[in-house]
Amino acid sequence: MVSAMVYRSAVLGAVTLSLLAVPAQAAPMRTAPGPQATAALPAPDTAGLAAVLRSVVAKGAPGAMARIDDGTQVYRSAQGVADRTSRRALTTTDRFRVGSVTKTFSAVVLLQLVDEHKLALDAPVNRYLPGLLPDDRITVRHVLSHRSGLYDYTNDLFASSVSGFEAVRDKVFTYRQLVDLSLKKPRTNAPGAAYSYSNTNFVVAGMLIEELTGHSVRTEYENRIFKPLQLTDTFYVHPDTKIPGQHANGYLTADRAGAQPVDATDQTVSWAQSAGAIISSARDLDTFYSALVRGKLTSAARLAEMERFTRVNSTTSYGLGLRRRDLSCGVSVYGHTGAVQGYYTYAFTSKDGKRSLTALANASNSSDVLNALAATLEPAFCGKQKSARSATAPIEREDVAPAAPTEQ
């Protein structure tokens, strides 16, 4: 049981900031190779972080929060409400839907299967799932790095965000049905030729997990990640529609200007499953990404594979279910972004796993909200250093799946 050593809090407007000192994390069971130990990061800019969260709410999110785990200290900041009806304040302990952050969990399970010699990254997917894909050249590595060329079926499901969501809110898909939706469209490129973000890839990842283990993805997530890391706020409940325990309600911004947002909290997320259906908390995501880069979840060799990145744009690269973001202060952080109806998530950690940030806005389908939330990375990892470039530069579309957000 963690005992608090120091606690202090201050109220800045409607934002609550707190600093909690806790014992340092235990040494990792195994450490992945990498560069020499990184220089100590500057202290988080908690005032700057609070200002970012205020801007997220000002852009239209009901609430926004962030939690930074610095190894011996935890910084918490929250603004706005978790529920537009009850007006309950959002807290950093609320659970939420993490969207595409799920992809890292799925990738970890498959890399563990590589460690167990049950899977080869450069083997064709069709070796394990005969006849599933139209091209035997598509490998497991291509799927996990978004270089398979498989069309993203969510482009069609959510061409209109609200009506598309209402059509699938309570629907239960099979994996095969989702893949078939993708295969109705031409592929975006030849296998391995280019990066193109597609939820279809991580639906295939879920199929591989279940085929190779004989268990549901839920069982594999629980046995391989949730339980070993004691992620007590993390769940995979598909096809159930409820978020267990205290949680933030999620709000889908209406497609029509001036219309009320849609409460999207209750849904199957069956359209995503192993590509985006996990529920978690800021504490658990901080723990997960720190453990991952410290080598607690895979062998050093598999982690190195995960961190073989393809450049996406000037600030973002993609490995195997893992993003790298290069910040203005020269620091690179590792994690994933998430978008699911009602929720935007940023969850990243430093190269050595000694500082982790999870930030949430309980809104989606809004470029303004998403771009504002992205700015939490700079104060969290760069401190009070002045940015060489704007932290609110437009975010690439693949961070937004499903569907490009409406401008507000």
Side-chain angles (χ1 to χ4, degrees), residues 99-107 153 175 178 199-210 217-218 221 236 238 269-278:
S100 286
V101 173
T102 301
K103 291 178 171 66
T104 310
F105 287 81
S106 296
Y153 60 88
Y175 284 130
L178 296 175
N199 286 286
T200 309
N201 290 313
F202 279 81
V203 169
V204 173
M207 296 180 76
L208 285 166
I209 290 169
E210 296 195 347
V217 293
R218 174 178 179 171
Y221 292 150
Y236 184 85
H238 174 268
V269 201
S270 194
W271 63 265
Q273 299 186 52
S274 52
I278 282 177

Side-chain angles (χ1 to χ4, degrees), residues 24-93:
Q25 297 180 14
M29 292 183 290
R30 50 193 179 222
T31 303
Q36 295 295 316
T38 55
L41 295 172
D45 178 7
T46 55
L49 184 64
V52 169
L53 297 178
R54 286 195 296 270
S55 74
V56 173
V57 173
K59 297 292 186 182
M65 63 87 163
R67 179 185 187 274
I68 302 171
D69 189 329
D70 212 14
T72 58
Q73 296 178 330
V74 174
Y75 304 81
R76 301 179 178 90
S77 184
Q79 170 80 23
V81 299
D83 186 326
R84 295 179 73 245
T85 301
S86 71
R87 308 304 296 175
R88 181 180 69 81
L90 181 67
T91 75
T92 58
T93 60

Side-chain angles (χ1 to χ4, degrees), residues 145-376:
S145 59
H146 292 297
R147 294 184 300 120
S148 68
L150 295 171
Y151 179 80
D152 190 345
Y153 60 88
T154 66
N155 293 336
D156 299 324
L157 285 182
F158 305 116
S160 176
S161 292
V162 174
S163 61
F165 167 64
E166 295 293 5
V168 301
R169 178 197 280 265
D170 298 312
K171 191 167 183 177
V172 177
F173 293 94
T174 66
Y175 284 130
R176 178 76 66 160
Q177 286 172 328
L178 296 175
V179 172
D180 286 347
L181 288 174
S182 169
L183 296 181
K184 290 179 180 179
K185 293 296 184 72
R187 280 172 280 159
T188 57
N189 49 257
Y195 170 91
S196 181
Y197 191 92
S198 173
N199 286 286
T200 309
N201 290 313
F202 279 81
V203 169
V204 173
M207 296 180 76
L208 285 166
I209 290 169
E210 296 195 347
E211 176 65 23
L212 293 168
T213 65
H215 301 141
S216 68
V217 293
R218 174 178 179 171
T219 295
E220 295 301 310
Y221 292 150
E222 289 176 349
N223 291 342
R224 294 173 177 272
I225 304 175
F226 300 174
K227 291 177 182 177
L229 294 182
Q230 299 180 39
L231 306 183
T232 55
D233 291 324
T234 306
F235 306 90
Y236 184 85
V237 302
H238 174 268
D240 289 349
T241 61
K242 301 291 185 181
I243 299 177
Q246 180 176 296
H247 59 271
N249 283 20
Y251 297 92
L252 177 62
T253 305
D255 295 313
R256 180 172 55 83
Q260 290 298 305
V262 175
D263 188 331
T265 309
D266 293 346
Q267 55 171 304
T268 63
V269 201
S270 194
W271 63 265
Q273 299 186 52
S274 52
I278 282 177
I279 293 161
S280 192
S281 69
R283 179 196 63 191
D284 280 7
L285 293 185
D286 283 349
T287 299
F288 169 65
Y289 279 110
S290 177
L292 174 60
V293 301
R294 288 176 181 229
K296 291 185 177 183
L297 292 172
T298 69
S299 68
R302 299 293 80 74
L303 180 58
E305 295 278 8
M306 204 171 195
E307 294 179 346
R308 289 174 59 183
F309 293 101
T310 298
R311 176 64 70 177
V312 174
N313 61 28
S314 62
T315 61
T316 304
S317 300
Y318 205 93
L320 302 183
L322 187 69
R323 290 192 186 280
R324 187 187 73 207
R325 289 277 174 139
D326 303 325
L327 304 181
S328 66
C329 58
V331 170
S332 293
V333 292
Y334 302 78
H336 215 287
T337 53
V340 63
Q341 293 92 351
Y343 305 89
Y344 284 140
T345 303
Y346 274 74
F348 286 85
T349 193
S350 57
K351 175 65 176 176
D352 57 10
K354 291 183 178 179
R355 182 177 299 175
S356 300
L357 162 80
T358 296
L360 167 77
N362 58 342
S364 68
N365 197 37
S366 168
S367 290
D368 286 350
V369 168
L370 179 67
N371 291 354
L373 188 70
T376 55

Side-chain angles (χ1 to χ4, degrees), residues 7-10 16-20 46 68 74-78 92:
Y7 179 83
R8 62 181 180 178
S9 64
T16 300
L17 285 172
S18 63
L19 169 61
L20 174 67
T46 55
I68 302 171
V74 174
Y75 304 81
R76 301 179 178 90
S77 184
T92 58

Side-chain angles (χ1 to χ4, degrees), residues 110 112-120 128 212-213 224:
L110 286 178
Q112 289 182 355
L113 292 172
V114 175
D115 277 330
E116 295 163 14
H117 307 292
K118 297 176 182 177
L119 178 70
Y128 308 104
L212 293 168
T213 65
R224 294 173 177 272

